[in-house]
Amino acid sequence: MITVVVGLDSSENLVFAEATGHAGTGKRGTDIVCAAVTVLLRTTMTALAGSGPVIEASTAGRGSLSFRVTAFSEKDELFLRYAARFLREGLGSLEREYPEAVALTFVSA
């Protein structure tokens, strides 16, 4: 199972996202659920990093990806709220379709 935790601040701005594990719905390297989670997280991370917020990313290898917003300005807040909504909608739809493969949690950060 892929466990995804997304942290939001009191204004619903995205603060961090971390995913660990494997979906187990396909062969290694071809699992569509793992690929979908990875694409959603990487796209969010890359878009944020290119728009203003300072992002720190890390991975412990396959089955692990995390990033944290370490600094942002007031003008970045709308983008960070949209990023949180993007992840809520995208990852949430995967969790609903593949409940045995994805567990999504949003926390206050």
Side-chain angles (χ1 to χ4, degrees):
M1 174 170 282
I2 301 173
T3 302
V4 183
V5 179
V6 178
L8 307 177
D9 68 12
S10 61
S11 297
E12 298 292 306
N13 294 314
L14 179 65
V15 175
F16 72 85
E18 52 190 42
T20 57
H22 294 283
T25 58
K27 290 183 181 179
R28 180 179 170 155
T30 64
D31 191 311
I32 62 169
V33 178
C34 283
V37 170
T38 300
V39 167
L40 287 166
L41 290 172
R42 283 187 180 176
T43 300
T44 301
M45 180 178 64
T46 303
L48 287 173
S51 69
V54 178
I55 306 294
E56 289 183 4
S58 65
T59 181
R62 293 181 73 87
S64 169
L65 174 64
S66 67
F67 66 89
R68 179 171 294 280
V69 178
T70 58
F72 64 93
S73 68
E74 187 177 323
K75 67 181 176 70
D76 299 323
E77 289 190 14
L78 183 61
F79 197 50
L80 290 167
R81 282 192 295 276
Y82 180 79
R85 181 167 183 186
F86 176 80
L87 290 177
R88 185 182 303 276
E89 295 299 324
L91 295 169
S93 70
L94 286 172
E95 182 183 43
R96 287 186 298 278
E97 190 168 346
Y98 300 96
E100 73 290 347
V102 179
L104 175 62
T105 305
F106 279 80
V107 298
S108 296

